[in-house]
Amino acid sequence: MKKACVIGWPIAHSRSPLIHGYWIERHGLNAAYEKVAVRPEELENFLLDLPNSPYRGCNITVPHKEKAFEIIERVNPAGLSPLARKLKAINTVWIEDGRLYADNTDVYGFMANFRSCVPDWSPNTARVLVIGAGGAARAVVAGFLDAGVRSVSVANRTVEKAERLVEELGAQEALPLSDLDAALSRFTVLVNTTVLGMKGQPPLDLSLQNLPEDAIVADIVYVPLITPLLAAARARGLRTVEGLGMLLHQAVPGFERWFGIRPAVTEELHARIAADIEKEDGA
Ligand code: ATR
């Protein structure tokens, strides 16, 4: 039986087993995808032992993405994809010839979902504002730059962190998160990568009034499925991109590596995971 897993700490709420389980069932594979709780101090041994384990690879989630990058950089630097090297964080690991290889598929996941939600979007004239400067922001900024967007601005509560991100990835401009309302008229895409708007967190305090009417608003938060930011954008008649799609699309390259079939992000998969999230959101 072919096996893969997702590791994190805590891991109980990961939806990756539901996603991969759906594809395993759909393709009738003799395969399994499991959750494994790995404490930070166990991460190194887990990864080093992976080639001798029953697993063909794993997904890596919070809080291990950066530390896992450092471990693979040490033991097999040639096994890191260019994007993983740029972001210094990984979420997908596989084994070739007994050695560890890794990629960061969050970038692919975000952009694939974005393009599928707004198929006529063109990077040439886009002016993108990314809110937040953590790991998720890095993936989103890298995705837009890689797609050919020439203007990517980053707004963050701690502006110095945005400045570092802009410099390191080659984005255009860092802004403070406060007093952003008036500046929104300059942007055609706005993406929230912070936890603001997530269940149990305060919403992002931003008026979308000044965004151009053809602007697109995206959120990477997916609990709730429609965040207050997305609801406000819809109320203004703007196009929106939900966070759940990124989670579904980022899983595709890993499944293909481990199980040899490139799976599809279908409406049925979306509905299954959305139903699970609604259960939690209402809980
Ligand atoms: P991730 O890797 O998921 O992106 P992270 O690295 O912890 O998570 O980054 C969290 C982001 O959310 C940061 O941009 C953080 O802003 P700071 O750099 O100023 O800390 C932002 N964030 C978290 N809570 C916030 C809040 N209450 N108000 C504004 N920004 C917040």
Side-chain angles (χ1 to χ4, degrees), residues 172-192:
Q172 273 56 57
E173 175 192 39
L175 300 165
L177 188 53
S178 51
D179 297 325
L180 211 51
D181 294 4
L184 292 191
S185 60
R186 292 199 275 128
F187 298 104
T188 60
V189 177
L190 184 153
V191 187
N192 173 51

Side-chain angles (χ1 to χ4, degrees), residues 62 65-66 131-139 154-162 164-165 177 192-196 198 201-205 220:
V62 179
K65 292 182 184 186
E66 286 86 9
I131 297 177
R138 292 169 67 83
V154 180
N156 197 42
R157 176 176 63 179
T158 314
V159 74
E160 294 77 18
K161 217 166 136 191
R164 279 203 298 277
L165 192 162
L177 188 53
N192 173 51
T193 72
T194 72
V195 292
L196 298 172
M198 193 184 286
Q201 298 281 338
L204 177 65
D205 181 21
I220 70 158

Side-chain angles (χ1 to χ4, degrees), residues 122-133:
S122 153
N124 307 328
T125 53
R127 293 184 307 280
V128 174
L129 175 64
V130 174
I131 297 177

